[in-house]
């Protein structure tokens, strides 16, 4: 099993198998982009969670400092206006792989994440009501790169009827 550099796989045993699959999918998809000549940045969050507060509502991922700096330099001079979202559910968790795309510069940023929807019902509802999902890629000091997507569907589980 391929693990990201630095052992950034979560220690939560419940999440481990699903997380490893997301990381493997990310690596394979990023390789396909690189084979087409694109710049592909793979991120390895140390934590991910849904948030709903006065400051942030959406999906929040915490990045290592070096990855955050690389992301920050990529977004400074590129327009990320397309997105691909992949979602899988298992072990009572939702796993997502978000690919932020800057087509003009042929750049893609890969952001894997997971969260427990049973612990986030109100947050999920807030995101659905807003009709958009925000993806916050940040470091511990709260510096953040934000991506906004008008369709939250690829990021959220189907609503419980």
């Amino acid at each position: 099993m391929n693990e990201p550099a630095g052992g950034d796989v979560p220690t939560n045993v419940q999440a481990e198998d699903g997380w490893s699959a997301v990381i493997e999918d990310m690596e394979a998809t990023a390789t396909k982009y690189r084979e087409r000549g694109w710049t592909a940045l793979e991120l390895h969050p140390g934590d991910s969670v849904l948030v709903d507060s006065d400051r942030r509502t959406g999906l929040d991922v915490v990045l290592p400092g070096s990855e955050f700096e690389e992301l920050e330099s990529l977004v400074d001079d590129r327009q990320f206006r397309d997105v691909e979202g992949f979602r899988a559910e298992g072990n009572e968790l939702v796993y997502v792989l978000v690919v932020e795309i800057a087509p003009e510069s042929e750049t893609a940023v890969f952001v894997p994440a997971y969260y427990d929807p049973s612990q986030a019902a109100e947050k999920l509802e807030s995101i659905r009501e807003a009709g958009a999902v925000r993806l916050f890629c940040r470091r511990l000091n709260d510096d953040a790169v934000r991506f906004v997507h008008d369709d939250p569907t690829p990021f959220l589980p189907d609503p419980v009827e």
Side-chain angles (χ1 to χ4, degrees):
M1 174 171 26
N2 293 336
E3 292 185 7
D8 291 317
V9 175
T11 57
N12 179 327
V13 173
Q14 181 183 23
E16 195 167 304
D17 289 340
W19 186 248
S20 295
V22 171
I23 297 300
E24 289 171 9
D25 287 348
M26 175 180 72
E27 291 169 349
T29 307
T31 296
K32 289 177 185 175
Y33 273 81
R34 287 186 190 102
E35 288 171 351
R36 296 189 333 230
W38 283 54
T39 298
L41 174 61
E42 299 171 53
L43 300 176
H44 301 90
D47 193 20
S48 68
V49 65
L50 286 178
V51 293
D52 185 17
S53 70
D54 292 338
R55 294 185 19 207
R56 284 194 291 269
T57 298
L59 185 58
D60 184 271
V61 297
V62 179
L63 300 174
S66 60
E67 286 188 359
F68 179 83
E69 290 167 8
E70 196 171 349
L71 172 63
E72 199 172 40
S73 71
L74 281 178
V75 299
D76 278 346
D77 60 353
R78 293 169 178 85
Q79 288 191 333
F80 289 84
R81 52 187 181 94
D82 295 338
V83 66
E84 290 181 348
F86 306 95
R87 180 186 76 233
E89 298 176 37
N91 298 326
E92 300 177 13
L93 298 173
V94 173
Y95 300 92
V96 294
L97 175 58
V98 181
V99 185
E100 301 290 349
I101 302 169
E104 288 84 9
S105 65
E106 296 186 339
T107 303
V109 174
F110 295 80
V111 186
Y114 72 95
Y115 60 89
D116 182 349
S118 70
Q119 303 296 315
E122 290 178 16
K123 297 169 188 169
L124 291 167
E125 189 57 34
S126 291
I127 292 168
R128 284 189 182 99
E129 286 177 9
V133 65
R134 288 166 183 77
L135 173 58
F136 300 93
C137 299
R138 67 179 182 87
R139 47 182 179 191
L140 288 175
N141 70 359
D142 258 2
D143 289 345
V145 171
R146 182 180 74 159
F147 298 98
V148 180
H149 304 292
D150 293 333
D151 181 9
T153 308
F155 305 92
L156 306 180
D158 293 329
V160 177
E161 300 284 329

